Amino acid sequence: MLDESLLDTPDALAGADRFGLLRGVAESGARVRTAIRSATESGIPALTPDGRPRAVLVAGPGPAAAGVA
């Protein structure tokens, strides 16, 4: 469970992100939107019939999985 007080202290948040997953998760929404835009420009039918993606699933092997949880 994430301690929300960490969000107010960048150094503490970085210290809690032992496996460096935070930046990748933060960038994932932009990656999904870029992939959808590229697919649309390539003529592939809409990938999200209900609008913008609302969730990102993050998975990883070994200790990374505990960091995601």
Side-chain angles (χ1 to χ4, degrees):
M1 189 70 124
L2 176 68
D3 176 3
E4 291 186 26
S5 67
L6 293 174
L7 299 176
D8 296 326
T9 313
D11 291 335
L13 184 60
D17 185 22
R18 299 182 319 201
F19 302 107
L21 298 174
L22 187 59
R23 182 175 300 274
V25 171
E27 295 171 347
S28 63
R31 289 185 185 140
V32 169
R33 289 187 297 275
T34 299
I36 290 170
R37 185 174 54 248
S38 296
T40 301
E41 290 171 358
S42 298
I44 297 173
L47 299 176
T48 56
D50 295 329
R52 288 179 61 170
R54 298 288 182 220
V56 175
L57 172 65
V58 180
V68 170

